[in-house]
Amino acid sequence: NNRIEVNKVYENIKKLQKKLILNKKNIIRHGTEYLHNKTNILLFDYSSSVTDIIKSYCKKKNKLNLIIPESRTINGGIPILKDLYELNVFINFIPDMAIKSFIEKTDVVLFGVESFDYNGDGWNTIGSYIVSKLANDNQVPVCIPTDTIKFNQYSKESTYNKKIIYDDFQNIYDIPIELTKISNLDYSCPEI
C-alpha cells in the first residue's frame, strides 16, 4: 500500500518536472520574442529565466548592450556576469547607485522574482522597487519572467499580509571592530 503511494508521488513529480520544463521553454520563447528590436537591457538581480532569455536573444541579435548593476548587499550582478560574460555583447557592469544614469537609455528592465501574489505584486530582493520606480518614471517597461511555481497561493486569501523579511547586513560592510560593539547601532534592513 505504501509502495503504491510512493509510486504515485514519483509519477506526479515527473509530471510536474515535464510541465516546468515546458513552461521554462515557453518563458524563454516569449521573452526572446518580446525583446525584438531591444538593444539596451538592464538586468537586476540574478534570475536563471532572465539569463536564459538573454542567451536565446543573443542568438538572434548581434548588437546588444547589457547593463548589469552590482550591489554589495545582495551580490546579484556577479552571478549574471558569470552567466553572460562569454556572449559577444557589450556589458556595462555598474554600481547599483548609478542606475539612474543608465535607465534613461534603457529599452527594458528584466529581473526575476522570489514570489508573486494574486494581485500581481512581485516580491524580490532589496532594490527591485527602486529600479522599478526609476524605470516607471522614465517610461521603461519592467518585465519579470517567471514560472507559476513561484505563485504565492496564500495571497488569494483576503486576510493575507506578506511579511517583509529583514536581514542583518553587518558582515557585508567593512566595519572597524570597535563600531561593531556599539549597542545603539543596527545593521538590519529589509532584504525582500
Side-chain angles (χ1 to χ4, degrees):
N1 195 15
N2 283 343
R3 187 73 163 147
I4 293 171
E5 292 299 317
V6 168
N7 286 339
K8 283 183 184 179
V9 169
Y10 280 123
E11 286 175 27
N12 287 335
I13 289 171
K14 286 179 183 178
K15 286 179 188 176
L16 179 61
Q17 286 173 331
K18 286 180 183 177
K19 185 177 180 180
L20 291 174
I21 290 168
L22 179 62
N23 286 346
K24 180 84 169 201
K25 287 179 181 177
N26 284 331
I27 289 168
I28 293 167
R29 182 174 52 82
H30 289 297
T32 302
E33 290 170 4
Y34 175 78
L35 292 179
H36 178 70
N37 289 332
K38 307 258 189 307
T39 303
N40 297 305
I41 303 170
L42 190 142
L43 311 175
F44 184 76
D45 199 15
Y46 183 79
S47 162
S48 62
S49 295
V50 169
T51 58
D52 288 345
I53 288 168
I54 295 299
K55 288 174 184 177
S56 172
Y57 186 54
C58 283
K59 292 176 184 173
K60 300 175 186 250
K61 180 153 181 89
N62 293 329
K63 187 177 181 227
L64 184 61
N65 180 44
L66 299 178
I67 304 155
I68 304 174
E70 179 55 278
S71 168
R72 60 188 285 201
T73 56
I74 61 173
N75 293 323
I78 291 290
I80 300 171
L81 190 60
K82 285 180 179 178
D83 259 14
L84 301 178
Y85 78 93
E86 290 181 341
L87 297 176
N88 190 24
V89 299
F90 186 79
I91 298 175
N92 288 106
F93 193 72
I94 63 170
D96 59 353
M97 295 305 289
I99 291 173
K100 175 66 173 121
S101 300
F102 288 83
I103 199 79
E104 294 162 350
K105 54 187 171 201
T106 299
D107 298 319
V108 64
V109 173
L110 298 176
F111 56 81
V113 69
E114 299 293 328
S115 68
F116 67 95
D117 292 344
Y118 184 72
N119 66 359
D121 285 348
W123 293 86
N124 201 40
T125 52
I126 189 170
S128 300
Y129 175 79
I130 295 168
V131 173
S132 298
K133 178 75 172 123
L134 282 170
N136 185 59
D137 290 351
N138 288 278
Q139 291 81 45
V140 175
V142 174
C143 297
I144 305 172
T146 193
D147 201 308
T148 55
I149 197 167
K150 293 193 176 185
F151 175 69
N152 180 358
Q153 64 182 351
Y154 301 109
S155 66
K156 284 184 173 182
E157 300 169 13
S158 61
T159 58
Y160 173 75
N161 188 11
K162 178 81 171 188
K163 299 276 191 260
I164 304 289
I165 298 172
Y166 283 80
D167 199 358
D168 183 346
F169 290 94
Q170 178 176 342
N171 294 330
I172 299 292
Y173 308 117
D174 186 19
I175 299 171
I177 192 74
E178 63 272 10
L179 294 179
T180 63
K181 298 178 185 337
I182 298 174
S183 63
N184 63 337
L185 186 56
D186 185 10
Y187 299 96
S188 63
C189 76
E191 179 184 11
I192 295 182

